[in-house]
Amino acid sequence: RHEPIEYIIRDVEFRGLSLEQERPVWIPGPETRDLVDTVLEFKKHWLILSFSCPKDKDKVHILEVGCGSGAVSLSLLDVNVGVLTYLKGEDNIKILAIDDSWRALDLARKNFRHIFGKEGEKEGKIKFKRFPYHDFTKKNVKKFDIIISDPPN
């Protein structure tokens, strides 16, 4: 079989995190790392982020559309990355990671528990939810400061 090694060994390394991987969930690749790097650029150019997330706002709300294994959201939450703590502080980050696949969401939750523990301190900072993409409206996304997605090609 011509199958990616990540599906065979059921593991992928992403930005220093070891994530479980399985079919049909998309394997994060170089473009996924580029996406995270782009979000991390806001750390360097925090005035841009501050414009969309005023300092008087108590939380930075991030929406990830098509979370798959959770690679992007989990790497943004990882304390080693500390993505938005520079601007708002670690306790003020909220991520909603959505996918239209129950299988992907189960895998993302499993990866969360593997990285942060079942009752980890990150509990409450991220929520995984099934949400059919065709149900999106402007009203659904207005409450988010950052919307990210890395859909399969």
Side-chain angles (χ1 to χ4, degrees):
R1 285 169 64 178
H2 299 288
E3 190 166 35
I5 188 73
E6 292 87 354
Y7 290 136
I8 295 169
I9 65 172
R10 298 184 56 115
D11 186 75
V12 64
E13 184 279 328
F14 185 78
R15 299 190 66 84
L17 301 176
S18 176
L19 302 171
E20 186 172 323
Q21 189 66 49
E22 64 183 43
R23 280 198 175 278
V25 179
W26 190 253
I27 299 167
E31 62 283 342
T32 309
R33 285 175 181 77
D34 292 345
L35 174 65
V36 173
D37 288 341
T38 299
V39 176
L40 291 172
E41 274 299 304
F42 284 120
K43 192 173 181 181
K44 292 180 185 171
H45 306 287
W46 65 271
L47 285 174
I48 297 168
L49 183 60
S50 182
F51 179 74
S52 65
C53 308
K55 290 199 183 290
D56 60 338
K57 189 172 180 191
D58 64 341
K59 304 239 183 274
V60 175
H61 294 271
I62 301 171
L63 171 65
E64 182 185 6
V65 179
C67 67
S69 65
V72 172
S73 289
L74 296 177
S75 66
L76 292 176
L77 264 187
D78 183 42
V79 294
N80 295 323
V81 173
V83 59
L84 297 172
T85 59
Y86 179 77
L87 178 64
K88 292 291 184 177
E90 190 174 336
D91 294 333
N92 296 321
I93 300 167
K94 289 282 204 184
I95 298 176
L96 174 60
I98 65 171
D99 207 296
D100 65 356
S101 163
W102 288 111
R103 195 168 179 179
L105 290 167
D106 288 343
L107 186 60
R109 285 185 189 103
K110 187 185 292 186
N111 282 326
F112 173 86
R113 287 189 301 272
H114 171 74
I115 294 165
F116 298 112
K118 188 174 181 181
E119 300 296 325
E121 64 181 37
K122 303 292 181 196
E123 196 73 39
K125 294 181 185 181
I126 189 166
K127 184 177 185 178
F128 298 100
K129 185 175 180 181
R130 185 176 183 283
F131 194 95
Y133 305 135
H134 62 271
D135 287 348
F136 263 104
T137 64
K138 281 185 180 179
K139 185 178 176 184
N140 295 110
V141 297
K142 276 189 174 179
K143 68 179 182 179
F144 296 99
D145 304 303
I146 299 172
I147 301 171
I148 51 178
S149 183
D150 183 28
N153 297 340

